[in-house]
Amino acid sequence: EGDAVTDLLIKPATLLWDPFVREVFRIRNGLSFGDPETLTKEEASALGANLFSNIETGDTSRGSARVYFEQARTASFTPNNFFSSKTGLHFFPDGIQSITTEEMLLNYDGSNYYFDVDLVAEQAGSQYDIGPGELVTVANIDSASRVTNLRRFRGGQDEETAVEFTDRAAQELTERSMVTLRGIGAKLTRSFPEI
């Protein structure tokens, strides 16, 4: 310590090598399931791909809305005609859907005519699995007298976090056959996520 060689070579080298050492430690931590809180979803997904396990990206909820009209008319619904629920969630028609006046004459409920529109949620998540009667408005259709959904929306699934994924991947670190307990657990939870 204090000689010319240390001051000239060693101290500048430690200063220059410090970023490389930090990057090596960051990469090492990113390649380990040891501390899943430090992993991003992309890092966890890449790490899980080595184990043939994929992160769940979530799924959108689907359902049907009934749009009532006072008179039979030709109507067309596009993604510009989004539907809103009581809680402010948005749903969009699953493609362009239309009905003619003659077809709507066959769809009547009391004194109103109706058209059922297939909808998909704006984003993935289970919060879009709304119950019956939750839809209240439709955009850009002035002739509609009211909007509702007769059935529950289904299929919404939340996106998996890095911690949830690493916990699940740890259970799948085995042969995936129906002859071992861990294999049975991995197969059943993959095939039947509700359990």
Side-chain angles (χ1 to χ4, degrees):
E1 180 68 30
D3 62 352
V5 175
T6 303
D7 290 340
L8 185 62
L9 298 175
I10 305 298
K11 288 183 180 177
T14 56
L15 182 64
L16 293 174
W17 280 102
D18 188 49
F20 292 110
V21 171
R22 278 186 307 199
E23 187 65 17
V24 167
F25 279 118
R26 190 191 68 77
I27 291 172
R28 186 183 73 184
N29 290 338
L31 294 176
S32 170
F33 282 127
D35 190 11
E37 285 86 14
T38 62
L39 296 175
T40 64
K41 287 182 188 176
E42 293 78 20
E43 290 171 339
S45 179
L47 188 56
N50 296 333
L51 306 171
F52 304 104
S53 185
N54 298 321
I55 194 166
E56 296 292 336
T57 57
D59 204 1
T60 54
S61 182
R62 295 179 176 272
S64 179
R66 181 162 285 187
V67 183
Y68 289 95
F69 300 91
E70 292 180 0
Q71 297 179 356
R73 60 181 2 105
T74 299
S76 179
F77 292 86
T78 66
N80 291 333
N81 309 111
F82 63 90
F83 291 71
S84 299
S85 70
K86 293 176 182 176
T87 58
L89 301 174
H90 297 296
F91 299 86
F92 293 89
D94 189 13
I96 299 173
Q97 302 170 47
S98 60
I99 189 169
T100 63
T101 305
E102 292 79 20
E103 292 170 332
M104 193 179 287
L105 285 171
L106 301 174
N107 297 341
Y108 58 89
D109 183 11
S111 62
N112 291 322
Y113 298 93
Y114 65 87
F115 179 51
D116 291 330
V117 182
D118 295 327
L119 301 178
V120 62
E122 180 180 28
Q123 296 175 357
S126 59
Q127 73 270 18
Y128 286 91
D129 288 346
I130 59 173
E134 289 288 317
L135 289 180
V136 290
T137 62
V138 58
N140 304 322
I141 300 289
D142 297 330
S143 56
S145 60
R146 67 184 170 105
V147 176
T148 190
N149 58 311
L150 301 178
R151 293 178 195 87
R152 180 175 186 77
F153 277 59
R154 298 189 185 275
Q157 184 180 6
D158 293 324
E159 186 176 8
E160 201 170 30
T161 65
V163 174
E164 293 169 342
F165 173 64
T166 54
D167 289 343
R168 184 173 57 83
Q171 296 298 318
E172 295 179 352
L173 292 176
T174 185
E175 174 188 359
R176 292 190 181 134
S177 67
M178 298 298 283
V179 296
T180 63
L181 289 177
R182 292 182 81 185
I184 292 169
K187 282 283 202 182
L188 288 178
T189 55
R190 171 77 62 188
S191 300
F192 304 100
E194 60 272 5
I195 64 168

